[in-house]
Amino acid sequence: MATPPPADGEADIGAINEILGFHIRLAHGACLRHFTETFTDLDLTQKQVSVLWLVDDHPGIAQTDLAQRLRMDRATTMAIINRLQAKHFLRRDRSDKDGRKQALFLEPAGVAMLARAKQAIGEHEAWVKSRFSDKEVKLLIDLLSRIHE
Amino acid sequence: MATPPPADGEADIGAINEILGFHIRLAHGACLRHFTETFTDLDLTQKQVSVLWLVDDHPGIAQTDLAQRLRMDRATTMAIINRLQAKHFLRRDRSDKDGRKQALFLEPAGVAMLARAKQAIGEHEAWVKSRFSDKEVKLLIDLLSRIHE
DNA sequence: TATTGTTATACTCTATAACTATA
DNA sequence: TATAGTTATAGAGTATAACAATA
């Protein structure tokens, strides 16, 4: 249903349902909720998984680069990195090229956790994608990409 | 670009870009960011505007009903209602039919603020929709609705 | 018993500002 | 000056738990 629960049998074709941003927020909320349930055992958040994934794809990546890729503030990035470091999932190394930068690398525990996380993400994605055909998934990704480009 | 900033000239067609949930989160973040900028003067959040809008569309609505429509927890709803009440945008009245329920109504200040908010939402929506044709907007809303239904 | 509202608590994300170190 | 990281702070949303009042 476009609006969550019409509650009664009222018409309820309120203009708020025609607001694109409204649907983006609800869809995001639904995804976040399911993600959280899927990851309760692993005790990881969406952002944390994204960071582990990107550090694995780009060993030695700097915090600033991470922040840009995930559209985060530097301070926000710090908070996430701190939590992951406290769990020994990654480490900070001083960059050789630029003394200001910290090069990030996954620790063994981080590699192991990422492997488990990717499997959980597979389940989570299957839940989301079950509503769509392959063609629709590609279309949706294309449309959403135009927003966050 | 699918991934925020490729930073270097690297290929970077990492699998994370094929994750639908990843794009939903980024798109939501971009919308939230622009929304916040648009509403700095009005000092309202997305959730707060949604609540004002729904209370206006459904005078006397109960907090539980609001929570269902916006997919929120009761405690979360309370926090939002409290802030709006502190600003004198709405009031709680004891329901006649059910003593457990609180009937919510907009105060004059809330009506005025909602009018301004709707205009700001128009600008915000124009920003989001500028990327799409009318047909694509309807398509996107349809696809997103399947996720939060 | 179940529902509604309420309070308290905690965590994450987000953002700003100010500070240090390096370029 | 500009960049990268750091720290402190604050607000908002989310969720859980426990409690009181009402149905």
Side-chain angles (χ1 to χ4, degrees):
Chain A
M1 53 205 93
T3 308
D8 313 311
E10 27 180 345
D12 185 39
I13 310 188
I16 199 174
N17 292 316
E18 293 160 17
I19 301 298
L20 181 51
F22 183 69
H23 292 279
I24 291 174
R25 191 159 55 67
L26 286 182
H28 173 257
C31 278
L32 180 58
R33 207 148 27 237
H34 184 273
F35 183 99
T36 305
E37 288 173 14
T38 307
F39 277 76
T40 38
D41 291 341
L42 299 183
D43 193 32
L44 285 176
T45 65
Q46 283 186 333
K47 276 281 156 73
Q48 287 167 5
V49 171
S50 295
V51 168
L52 287 181
W53 195 317
L54 284 175
V55 171
D56 185 54
D57 279 353
H58 308 280
I61 191 174
Q63 291 180 189
T64 307
D65 194 4
L66 260 185
Q68 286 178 334
R69 288 171 187 270
L70 296 176
R71 300 265 188 249
M72 297 187 299
D73 188 76
R74 278 180 301 162
T76 305
T77 307
M78 273 294 304
I80 295 171
I81 298 285
N82 284 342
R83 284 182 209 114
L84 292 173
Q85 191 179 33
K87 291 178 180 177
H88 304 98
F89 288 162
L90 53 74
R91 70 174 189 278
R92 292 170 160 94
D93 279 358
R94 206 95 209 168
S95 172
D96 298 332
K97 307 172 186 174
D98 191 332
R100 295 170 302 182
K101 293 187 178 180
Q102 296 278 27
L104 301 173
F105 297 92
L106 289 191
E107 295 275 26
V111 175
M113 181 54 83
L114 179 58
R116 293 179 64 191
K118 282 190 176 180
Q119 192 164 0
I121 281 189
E123 298 172 20
H124 172 61
E125 278 286 292
W127 172 83
V128 182
K129 291 179 176 172
S130 65
R131 299 154 174 75
F132 310 113
S133 67
D134 289 350
K135 195 175 179 180
E136 287 172 330
V137 169
K138 287 186 179 180
L139 180 58
L140 187 49
I141 288 182
D142 171 60
L143 293 173
L144 292 172
S145 294
R146 291 192 220 166
I147 297 178
H148 67 73
E149 70 186 348
Chain B
M1 55 205 89
T3 307
D8 313 312
E10 29 179 343
D12 186 36
I13 310 186
I16 199 173
N17 291 316
E18 293 160 17
I19 302 297
L20 181 50
F22 183 69
H23 292 278
I24 291 173
R25 190 159 56 68
L26 286 182
H28 173 258
C31 278
L32 179 58
R33 207 147 28 235
H34 184 273
F35 183 100
T36 305
E37 289 173 13
T38 307
F39 277 76
T40 38
D41 291 341
L42 299 184
D43 194 31
L44 284 177
T45 66
Q46 283 185 333
K47 275 282 156 75
Q48 289 167 6
V49 171
S50 295
V51 167
L52 287 181
W53 195 317
L54 285 174
V55 171
D56 186 53
D57 279 353
H58 308 278
I61 191 174
Q63 291 180 189
T64 307
D65 195 4
L66 259 186
Q68 286 178 333
R69 287 172 187 268
L70 296 176
R71 301 264 187 249
M72 297 187 299
D73 188 75
R74 279 179 300 163
T76 305
T77 308
M78 274 293 304
I80 295 171
I81 298 285
N82 284 343
R83 284 181 209 113
L84 292 174
Q85 190 180 32
K87 292 179 179 177
H88 304 98
F89 288 162
L90 52 74
R91 69 175 191 278
R92 294 172 160 94
D93 278 358
R94 204 98 210 167
S95 173
D96 298 331
K97 306 173 186 172
D98 191 332
R100 295 170 300 183
K101 293 187 178 181
Q102 296 276 28
L104 301 174
F105 297 93
L106 289 192
E107 294 276 25
V111 174
M113 181 54 83
L114 179 58
R116 294 179 63 193
K118 282 189 177 179
Q119 191 164 2
I121 281 190
E123 297 173 21
H124 173 62
E125 277 287 292
W127 172 82
V128 182
K129 290 178 177 172
S130 66
R131 299 157 175 75
F132 310 113
S133 68
D134 289 351
K135 195 174 177 180
E136 287 171 329
V137 169
K138 287 186 179 180
L139 180 59
L140 187 49
I141 288 182
D142 170 60
L143 294 172
L144 292 173
S145 295
R146 291 192 220 166
I147 297 178
H148 68 73
E149 73 186 347

